[in-house]
Amino acid sequence: MGTGHSIDSPIRVAPYGINSVISIVDDLLVEKIRKYYSEKFDLPYKNIPRSAEDGRAKRITAYLDLVHDLVSHKFEEIRSQPFFEDNERAKYFRMLPNESPLKTAYQKLMAAAENEQTSLADKLNDLMQPGSIDVNIMAKVDKLNLTKSGEPMSAEYSDGSAALRGYANSKLSSSLVLSAGFNPRLYNYLSDFQDFYRDACGSIKKKIILKVSDFRSALIQGKYLAKKGLEVFEYRIESGLNCGGHAFATDGLLLPVLLKEFKEKKEMLSSAIRPLVEKFYEDEREGFSTKWEVQEPRITVQGGIGTQGEMQRLLKEYDMDSTGWGSPFLLVPEATTVDQTTRTLLENAKEEDLYLSGVSPLGVPFNNVRQTGSRIWHEERIEKGKPGSPCPKGFLESNTEFTENPICTASTQYQLLKIDQINHSDYDEGKKERLKTKVLDKACLCDHLGNGALIQLGIQKESRAPQAICPGPNIAYFSGEYSLEEMVNHIYGRRTSLVEGERPHMFAKEMRMYVDYLQELIDESDSDPGENRKLTKFRNNLEEGMNYCLEIAGSNGYEGENLESIKTTVAGLKTRLEHMFSIAVA
């Protein structure tokens, strides 16, 4: 959900037992939010300046400790409220899934005789827990930094390592979500912190979650970590395209195909990895105790889920341990920090307004919505002859095409240099314009993704803070502002659905996105034999996935599933694929 929109979500939802994830890419934003909440709750605050030694790690640690304390305080306030009243404590239990043992115990208390209530209430108090305050690090956002004199700093001061250290040094007992690919340097650095290992009782204070795109990647990364004694608590599968933020497309492998493979090979994630962990403890520690509780790694999924029926299919047909919902919560002010202008933009967004863009300086497709404050700001600068951004934060500096030290492709410096190069090239005018459009598409995500939170909290004026946001396409089917309970009840199928019945199934939507993406690849290809083989492989994977989706469409549906949309989508897309490749071959 970007750097800003879930920056304080745990403060909002964790006291009700709901897990959420904070991005800690932007430590400068983190510091501003820490100052805001310290002042709001009249807590001591001392600024950690940008120039402070190891400042990035210290800012992150300080904020996460503050979030931990605020969540603990609010949770205890809720837990101290009386039973049998319509209060925040009752809301905590109302939002639990119906099959939750905790909810069953609560319902038993509500129906108990008066002489049984005290005993049941005490037991229920002990069972209540706040939601987990998890953090996310994009593993590939790991810029190496320089000293004030311009000398390279050691690897432990890279952006990724410093963020990891900031989390590792915090008082949190939660999970670290590693996303955006495999970074051996960062993974190696995990082994420097005891909190990622088992203590004498076998407990792990800070667990590892890997966001993965396929089974092979999950197994490779799991083994790599296991050789260092690091256990993966959860493998989080995400749709390659039907998701929020950066989209890491597969070679045409659709989500249901990937889920089927995970279900069939799930046991390997223990049988192939567990011996490596045990060997590490035998060689490096005092051994892996048979008394320790050993659990299978959790397998979860996220990306485009929109109805309770779709969720039930993922849980029951593919044995997922849980599902993740992100973008719909951008319309829930109780859960996310989105400024009103951007929230209204999302409420009114239709399918055609959500698109896979080229705005990310990382060079990875980025799910976006048209006419954000960020886009308008960039277009105004282009008109004034000053394209790009002054690059105030520099987290995505990686290009050395024109400079010795890396700069960002969304920066004014880079864009002016690149456009000048294109203008002096031998390309025809049509190609020059296409190339310049791609250059000017790049946007200042480092800064702009955090601005919505600053505006909403009153820290920054909207006129001085262009807002970017990265919703998944699924948000097109939600069209209002919702309370936290409304969204939770929608997820669990306890109310009239918030989306229309004709909304395309999440599998159908993903298929469409992959065919659109394939069309872009074809349009940009240069008829190289190797490239053609890749495109053919992509098509074959897509068609195999479509055939599997037809099998799903012929099965018994869960309530709220639009399986008919899968059938009509496959029919139309197969015809389109034939047409695309007949033109490409011609």
Side-chain angles (χ1 to χ4, degrees):
M1 285 199 274
T3 56
H5 305 302
S6 63
I7 191 73
D8 61 353
S9 288
I11 298 172
R12 297 164 180 267
V13 303
Y16 298 103
I18 299 173
N19 299 343
S20 58
V21 184
I22 298 174
S23 168
I24 53 173
V25 167
D26 188 349
D27 59 295
L28 304 177
L29 172 68
V30 156
E31 181 68 9
K32 290 180 180 179
I33 305 298
R34 182 172 74 92
K35 181 176 186 290
Y36 168 84
Y37 275 105
S38 295
E39 292 175 350
K40 180 177 180 178
F41 291 100
D42 196 24
L43 298 170
Y45 170 78
K46 184 177 180 181
N47 176 53
I48 304 173
R50 197 164 182 172
S51 58
E53 183 179 354
D54 202 21
R56 178 171 170 81
K58 290 176 180 175
R59 284 187 285 275
I60 289 169
T61 300
Y63 179 63
L64 295 179
D65 285 349
L66 175 69
V67 173
H68 171 275
D69 292 346
L70 292 177
V71 168
S72 298
H73 178 73
K74 188 173 180 181
F75 173 71
E76 290 304 328
E77 282 187 337
I78 290 174
R79 187 157 65 169
S80 66
Q81 291 177 352
F83 284 111
F84 304 102
E85 291 186 11
D86 186 12
N87 53 24
E88 296 298 289
R89 186 176 205 166
K91 180 178 176 179
Y92 176 103
F93 288 102
R94 282 200 306 269
M95 289 195 293
L96 290 170
N98 293 342
E99 62 273 16
S100 164
L102 191 57
K103 189 159 192 173
T104 301
Y106 175 72
Q107 291 168 338
K108 183 178 179 181
L109 170 62
M110 293 298 101
E114 190 171 345
N115 63 338
E116 298 177 325
Q117 290 175 1
T118 301
S119 172
L120 291 172
D122 289 343
K123 290 178 182 178
L124 204 52
N125 269 341
D126 293 338
L127 292 172
M128 290 178 70
Q129 295 290 332
S132 185
I133 306 167
D134 297 337
V135 305
N136 169 243
I137 294 177
M138 291 184 68
K140 290 297 179 68
V141 180
D142 191 23
K143 176 170 64 75
L144 292 169
N145 292 300
L146 305 176
T147 63
K148 292 178 182 177
S149 60
E151 297 297 316
M153 299 179 76
S154 59
E156 68 191 87
Y157 292 101
S158 72
D159 279 356
S161 295
L164 172 58
R165 183 165 59 256
Y167 170 66
N169 290 336
S170 75
K171 62 178 71 172
L172 291 180
S173 177
S174 63
S175 295
L176 170 67
V177 183
L178 293 167
S179 65
F182 175 37
N183 181 343
R185 183 176 68 204
L186 190 65
Y187 282 27
N188 291 341
Y189 193 44
L190 284 164
S191 62
D192 280 16
F193 302 99
Q194 179 56 41
D195 279 3
F196 294 105
Y197 289 95
R198 292 178 180 266
D199 61 19
C201 298
S203 299
I204 301 174
K205 184 175 181 180
K206 291 181 169 66
K207 300 179 176 68
I208 297 169
I209 296 176
L210 295 183
K211 191 182 285 189
V212 294
S213 57
D214 57 59
F215 184 83
R216 180 175 177 273
S217 172
L219 189 61
I220 289 172
Q221 293 183 70
K223 284 183 174 180
Y224 187 92
L225 291 169
K227 290 176 182 177
K228 302 177 185 304
L230 297 164
E231 302 168 65
V232 177
F233 170 69
E234 176 185 325
Y235 294 94
R236 187 166 292 179
I237 310 162
E238 183 173 64
S239 167
L241 293 179
N242 191 15
C243 58
H246 287 91
F248 296 90
T250 65
D251 293 331
L253 294 169
L254 298 175
L255 182 62
V257 174
L258 298 171
L259 295 177
K260 183 171 181 284
E261 183 177 15
F262 268 92
K263 179 180 178 180
E264 293 171 348
K265 299 179 179 178
K266 182 177 181 178
E267 187 270 337
M268 287 178 62
L269 294 175
S270 291
S271 63
I273 290 174
R274 177 59 52 190
L276 300 176
V277 174
E278 293 179 355
K279 184 177 187 304
F280 172 87
Y281 276 85
E282 289 297 330
D283 294 345
E284 306 291 337
R285 305 283 170 113
E286 295 181 359
F288 198 91
S289 174
T290 57
K291 297 178 181 179
W292 291 348
E293 183 181 1
V294 179
Q295 296 179 331
E296 301 291 311
R298 286 165 50 84
I299 313 293
T300 66
V301 61
Q302 61 188 42
I305 309 166
T307 68
Q308 198 259 353
E310 290 174 354
M311 181 177 74
Q312 288 302 311
R313 177 171 294 278
L314 298 169
L315 295 174
K316 295 180 179 178
E317 302 297 325
Y318 296 103
D319 296 342
M320 293 292 107
D321 291 294
S322 67
T323 59
W325 296 63
S327 294
F329 281 96
L330 292 171
L331 299 176
V332 181
E334 292 172 75
T336 55
T337 311
V338 182
D339 63 282
Q340 189 56 58
T341 299
T342 304
R343 201 187 301 277
T344 300
L345 182 69
L346 296 180
E347 288 176 21
N348 297 326
K350 308 301 179 188
E351 278 189 324
E352 59 272 18
D353 298 316
L354 285 302
Y355 70 110
L356 200 61
S357 73
V359 303
S360 174
L362 290 177
V364 177
F366 186 81
N367 273 301
N368 209 344
V369 60
R370 302 188 194 282
Q371 288 303 297
T372 61
S374 175
R375 189 70 255 157
I376 294 168
W377 182 84
H378 276 284
E379 288 172 354
E380 288 174 351
R381 288 182 61 85
I382 292 168
E383 290 176 7
K384 295 174 182 177
K386 295 182 179 180
S389 165
C391 201
K393 294 181 176 176
F395 297 128
L396 300 182
E397 292 175 338
S398 62
N399 186 281
T400 55
E401 186 177 356
F402 302 107
T403 57
E404 183 177 350
N405 292 327
I407 58 176
C408 180
T409 56
S411 69
T412 300
Q413 181 182 9
Y414 174 83
Q415 293 192 1
L416 288 175
L417 290 168
K418 189 64 179 179
I419 288 170
D420 183 65
Q421 181 192 68
I422 294 169
N423 284 334
H424 286 86
S425 71
D426 295 329
Y427 297 130
D428 62 61
E429 290 304 313
K431 184 167 184 178
K432 284 183 179 180
E433 289 305 311
R434 290 193 298 273
L435 291 173
K436 284 191 282 188
T437 296
K438 284 188 175 183
V439 172
L440 297 173
D441 268 351
K442 296 292 181 279
C444 183
L445 299 183
C446 289
D447 197 40
H448 294 185
L449 278 172
N451 283 342
L454 297 178
I455 295 166
Q456 185 64 14
L457 296 176
I459 300 170
Q460 192 79 284
K461 291 182 179 179
E462 185 171 347
S463 59
R464 299 175 61 85
Q467 324 95 305
I469 198 164
C470 48
N474 191 33
I475 205 166
Y477 313 110
F478 294 84
S479 57
E481 185 176 291
Y482 309 106
S483 71
L484 183 60
E485 278 198 81
E486 281 180 310
M487 186 58 71
V488 169
N489 286 336
H490 166 76
I491 289 171
Y492 292 130
R494 299 192 296 230
R495 55 154 293 138
T496 303
S497 177
L498 296 177
V499 300
E500 299 293 333
E502 60 267 22
R503 169 190 169 275
H505 195 282
M506 60 181 290
F507 294 163
K509 180 65 178 179
E510 187 193 47
M511 277 187 278
R512 276 196 236 159
M513 295 186 73
Y514 265 102
V515 173
D516 289 343
Y517 183 70
L518 178 57
Q519 181 68 71
E520 289 184 20
L521 295 179
I522 291 172
D523 292 344
E524 294 176 0
S525 67
D526 55 7
S527 299
D528 175 82
E531 189 69 24
N532 288 339
R533 284 194 294 272
K534 289 181 181 178
L535 294 174
T536 300
K537 178 184 177 182
F538 197 111
R539 176 192 177 175
N540 291 340
N541 286 339
L542 262 182
E543 290 188 327
E544 288 178 16
M546 289 178 184
N547 290 335
Y548 176 53
C549 284
L550 284 178
E551 294 179 27
I552 295 171
S555 67
N556 293 326
Y558 293 89
E559 187 175 352
E561 271 195 306
N562 184 3
L563 294 181
E564 190 61 33
S565 68
I566 295 178
K567 299 175 185 177
T568 55
T569 299
V570 169
L573 292 181
K574 283 197 171 185
T575 300
R576 186 178 166 197
L577 282 173
E578 287 292 336
H579 181 66
M580 285 163 55
F581 274 80
S582 65
I583 292 177
V585 171

